[in-house]
Amino acid sequence: ERRPVLQGDDGVAWAAFRREMSSAAGNVPAAKGRGTAVLERTDGHWRIVHLHVSGGPGGVGPIEVSSDTSRVRATVEALFAAAERADMAALDTLYAGEDLTVIEGAGINRTWAQYRDQHLGPELREFRNFRYRPSQIEAHVHGDQAWAIFRYSLRADYQGRELDQVG
């Protein structure tokens, strides 16, 4: 059983996922991985300060929930909706700017501007017929820190192939 590590107003939590993909050419093998989303409350708004997705084994454990979880859920839902619209202005308000670190696969982006300009923005500009939806969002709050565990579905036409992913 895994539990979050909590100290004062800071928290770290993790979750496991299984991603299954398919394409018009046939199925792609499933992949296991883990990820985290850590949020921080600043001026009454939740902002993502850390996002990490990588392959490998992982686990999910029960976590205490506070009364502010609906606002954290709304932040995660807003993030997915803004990404689906490729709305960089909206994403600018959801990510934590200079305090953001994104670890995805073998890459590390250390600010929102770097992640937006070198990874997410170029990727979103190439997506066609993009659909990106969260599900099973479990939001957790401890002081001014929050994290969310969720599943997602992603569909898009990308570089001549059809993406259909669940994570």
Side-chain angles (χ1 to χ4, degrees):
E1 178 175 300
R2 294 186 181 214
R3 295 184 178 269
V5 177
L6 303 173
Q7 184 173 1
D9 287 338
D10 297 320
V12 178
W14 50 93
F17 66 85
R18 177 180 167 83
R19 179 175 54 213
E20 298 175 15
M21 299 181 285
S22 63
S23 68
N27 289 333
V28 177
K32 292 182 180 180
R34 59 181 157 229
T36 60
V38 178
L39 297 92
E40 181 176 65
R41 186 172 33 212
T42 307
D43 300 326
H45 299 282
W46 289 102
R47 301 190 190 280
I48 296 168
V49 295
H50 173 83
L51 178 66
H52 169 198
V53 179
S54 64
V60 178
I63 299 171
E64 294 180 25
V65 178
S66 82
S67 63
D68 205 15
T69 57
S70 63
R71 290 175 63 190
V72 173
R73 281 182 52 88
T75 300
V76 172
E77 290 168 344
L79 176 78
F80 275 77
E84 186 177 274
R85 295 187 314 269
D87 185 345
M88 292 303 167
L91 291 170
D92 284 343
T93 69
L94 296 167
Y95 280 104
E98 294 297 312
D99 295 326
L100 177 72
T101 301
V102 177
I103 304 168
E104 188 174 0
I108 299 175
N109 296 110
R110 300 195 183 275
T111 67
W112 163 239
Q114 184 185 45
Y115 179 60
R116 177 193 63 215
D117 298 343
Q118 297 177 11
H119 181 93
L120 186 62
E123 189 172 70
L124 292 177
R125 281 190 294 276
E126 290 193 42
F127 283 168
R128 301 292 176 260
N129 304 313
F130 184 39
R131 181 183 159 115
Y132 192 41
R133 306 289 164 85
S135 63
Q136 301 174 23
I137 301 169
E138 296 177 30
H140 307 277
V141 179
H142 181 77
D144 283 344
Q145 300 289 315
W147 56 95
I149 301 167
F150 52 85
R151 296 187 55 84
Y152 70 89
S153 63
L154 181 154
R155 292 184 135 197
D157 296 325
Y158 179 67
Q159 297 181 343
R161 65 178 199 255
E162 182 181 312
L163 300 178
D164 188 0
Q165 301 176 357
V166 176

